[in-house]
Amino acid sequence: MDTILGPLYIAVSWIIVQFHSFYSLIFDRNSGAAWGLSIVSLVVLIRICLIPLFVKQIKSTRNMQALQPKMKAIQERYKSDKQRQSEEMMKLYKETGTNPLSSCLPILAQSPFFISLYQVLSHIAQNKTVGVIDQPLLESAQKAHIFGAPLAAKFMDSAEKIQSLGASVVDVRVVTIIMIVLMSASQFYTQRQLMTKNVDLTVKTPFMQQQKMLMYVFPIMFAVFGINFPVGVLVYWLTTNVWTMGQQMFVIRRNPTPGSKAFEERQERLRAAGKLVEDPAAVEAKQAAEEARHNRQQPKRQSKSQRQTGGAAPAGGVQNRTRAGSASGAGQGAAKKQSLEKKDTQDGKEKGGASGSRTAKSGQRKGQQRPKHPSKK
């Protein structure tokens, strides 16, 4: 690792030493302010150089969001043929000029500098010269403390190692925990700002779910790995997170994604300032919709009795309906009574006929008596 990244060690250490020489004119050369501001200035310099890559990242992220519906259609169409699916995806990327790796360019470009700074601070903690940092600068860097924590100290360092750097375990752990919390919170806010303000909410794609998952994964990763970072590296990473957050806020405000919440807010600001020229037909349609919404009449509230009777009605109408109902009820009662009387008459006839036939049968049996036996005469 040292052989491969040796030139970067020299470059990073040289940049830090140059900034340290400048800040030594203002602060004590052995102070944490001089060395800490040197690391912050290193971050600012690197991020300024990465602005073109950041612009490419924004464009690539927007293109990926716009291509999500087409990508989903390709996946559904060629779900059983992975090779054809990959070919169609590459064809789509080529036609639209989109590179999926462009969204990772700033992180990939920062990684060598991050690793180099980590190794430089590790060499300082081990009392080893590195790059252009000679023995006098090494002793000065070891004396530098940020809020009582040495630049080269870690959260997991032993008490003996921390004491050898001239600090206490409590100071080191309190400072590192605060920095880790701030680092994770800034990363979470940056990702949340991207999800809530700069995403087209009219299109639901898997890309949104992926970004939502990263919103929680990245802060956890920073919290886990942060306990193994030296204080100087935590200063570097906290600074780059704050820079990313501010840079993203600027871009979202000035050049938001169409269809997002930030885009609507920007349109309202331009409309209020009179800088937005809208289509007259669209303006008329919007005004007509607003007038229709204001002129729409709401139904009147009804009491419980009115809802049960089917709504309010005039008193005369109610009385007429009542009289008509009573008259129709009386007519129905009379018709029902006549039908019952008719039914009783028919039942009586049927019963009478049946009793008469039984009487006739009994009389016939009574009139036809068998002759007595001769012995009984």
Side-chain angles (χ1 to χ4, degrees), residues 2-156:
D2 291 345
T3 305
I4 298 174
L5 296 179
L8 273 179
Y9 293 173
I10 296 174
V12 169
S13 61
W14 183 84
I15 293 172
I16 291 177
V17 168
Q18 299 307 312
F19 280 118
H20 177 261
S21 300
F22 172 74
Y23 289 116
S24 296
L25 301 175
I26 305 172
F27 305 100
D28 182 10
R29 65 186 305 271
N30 297 330
S31 64
W35 285 99
L37 289 175
S38 300
I39 296 174
V40 172
S41 301
L42 172 67
V43 175
V44 173
L45 179 63
I46 293 174
R47 294 309 300 266
I48 290 175
C49 295
L50 293 178
I51 286 178
L53 293 179
F54 182 76
V55 173
K56 287 186 177 181
Q57 179 191 22
I58 294 174
K59 293 181 178 179
S60 177
T61 303
R62 289 186 178 179
N63 291 337
M64 290 296 293
Q65 291 177 358
L67 291 179
Q68 285 301 309
K70 295 181 180 180
M71 294 171 61
K72 189 175 181 180
I74 292 174
Q75 291 174 354
E76 292 293 331
R77 185 175 181 181
Y78 303 105
K79 63 171 62 176
S80 58
D81 191 351
K82 297 297 182 182
Q83 183 177 357
R84 182 65 184 279
Q85 185 182 119
S86 301
E87 293 175 356
E88 293 294 327
M89 288 287 189
M90 296 303 296
K91 183 179 178 181
L92 181 63
Y93 292 150
K94 187 176 181 180
E95 290 176 352
T96 57
T98 303
N99 185 3
L101 297 179
S102 298
S103 59
C104 303
L105 284 178
I107 297 177
L108 295 176
Q110 280 189 91
S111 298
F113 295 95
F114 173 77
I115 296 172
S116 300
L117 179 63
Y118 181 87
Q119 292 296 329
V120 168
L121 294 175
S122 296
H123 280 72
I124 293 174
Q126 297 170 9
N127 199 19
K128 296 180 181 179
T129 58
V130 56
V132 298
I133 298 179
D134 54 11
Q135 192 63 34
L137 289 172
L138 180 63
E139 294 176 357
S140 175
Q142 286 184 337
K143 294 177 182 178
H145 290 65
I146 296 179
F147 301 109
L151 288 176
K154 305 176 186 176
F155 181 87
M156 300 299 292

Side-chain angles (χ1 to χ4, degrees), residues 27-328:
F27 305 100
D28 182 10
R29 65 186 305 271
N30 297 330
S31 64
W35 285 99
L37 289 175
S38 300
I39 296 174
V40 172
S41 301
L42 172 67
V43 175
V44 173
L45 179 63
I46 293 174
R47 294 309 300 266
I48 290 175
C49 295
L50 293 178
I51 286 178
L53 293 179
F54 182 76
V55 173
K56 287 186 177 181
Q57 179 191 22
I58 294 174
K59 293 181 178 179
S60 177
T61 303
R62 289 186 178 179
N63 291 337
M64 290 296 293
Q65 291 177 358
L67 291 179
Q68 285 301 309
K70 295 181 180 180
M71 294 171 61
K72 189 175 181 180
I74 292 174
Q75 291 174 354
E76 292 293 331
R77 185 175 181 181
Y78 303 105
K79 63 171 62 176
S80 58
D81 191 351
K82 297 297 182 182
Q83 183 177 357
R84 182 65 184 279
Q85 185 182 119
S86 301
E87 293 175 356
E88 293 294 327
M89 288 287 189
M90 296 303 296
K91 183 179 178 181
L92 181 63
Y93 292 150
K94 187 176 181 180
E95 290 176 352
T96 57
T98 303
N99 185 3
L101 297 179
S102 298
S103 59
C104 303
L105 284 178
I107 297 177
L108 295 176
Q110 280 189 91
S111 298
F113 295 95
F114 173 77
I115 296 172
S116 300
L117 179 63
Y118 181 87
Q119 292 296 329
V120 168
L121 294 175
S122 296
H123 280 72
I124 293 174
Q126 297 170 9
N127 199 19
K128 296 180 181 179
T129 58
V130 56
V132 298
I133 298 179
D134 54 11
Q135 192 63 34
L137 289 172
L138 180 63
E139 294 176 357
S140 175
Q142 286 184 337
K143 294 177 182 178
H145 290 65
I146 296 179
F147 301 109
L151 288 176
K154 305 176 186 176
F155 181 87
M156 300 299 292
D157 284 345
S158 62
E160 294 78 8
K161 186 175 182 179
I162 293 175
Q163 288 176 359
S164 66
L165 295 172
S168 64
V169 177
V170 176
D171 292 339
V172 170
R173 293 188 175 175
V174 169
V175 171
T176 52
I177 287 175
I178 292 174
M179 285 189 174
I180 289 170
V181 170
L182 293 176
M183 187 172 61
S184 300
S186 60
Q187 179 65 36
F188 176 80
Y189 182 80
T190 301
Q191 193 68 21
R192 187 176 183 274
Q193 180 181 234
L194 178 65
M195 285 297 302
T196 57
K197 288 191 174 183
N198 205 37
V199 174
D200 188 358
L201 301 177
T202 60
V203 181
K204 303 295 182 181
T205 62
F207 180 77
M208 295 177 63
Q209 298 297 328
Q210 180 184 3
Q211 293 296 317
K212 187 175 181 180
M213 181 182 67
L214 293 177
M215 182 172 63
Y216 297 98
V217 171
F218 277 159
I220 295 174
M221 290 176 59
F222 279 117
V224 171
F225 294 119
I227 60 176
N228 294 313
F229 289 163
V231 173
V233 174
L234 293 179
V235 171
Y236 173 92
W237 208 251
L238 177 60
T239 306
T240 192
N241 280 359
V242 173
W243 176 280
T244 302
M245 182 174 62
Q247 186 174 248
Q248 184 171 270
M249 290 175 65
F250 177 81
V251 171
I252 289 175
R253 181 176 177 84
R254 293 301 184 93
N255 192 17
T257 301
S260 63
K261 182 179 178 181
F263 182 80
E264 295 177 357
E265 293 176 353
R266 181 175 179 272
Q267 294 296 98
E268 291 295 332
R269 290 196 303 270
L270 293 176
R271 190 178 294 110
K275 298 180 180 180
L276 183 63
V277 179
E278 296 182 333
D279 187 8
V283 174
E284 291 180 0
K286 186 176 181 180
Q287 291 177 354
E290 290 292 332
E291 291 178 359
R293 186 173 63 84
H294 287 299
N295 295 333
R296 186 177 57 189
Q297 294 182 355
Q298 298 292 336
K300 296 182 179 180
R301 298 184 62 181
Q302 297 180 347
S303 62
K304 185 176 179 181
S305 60
Q306 290 175 342
R307 290 195 299 270
Q308 290 177 350
T309 57
V318 174
Q319 293 177 0
N320 293 335
R321 287 199 301 270
T322 306
R323 292 172 184 173
S326 59
S328 61

Side-chain angles (χ1 to χ4, degrees), residues 370-377:
R370 289 183 295 180
K372 295 182 179 180
H373 196 271
S375 62
K376 293 182 178 180
K377 289 181 180 181

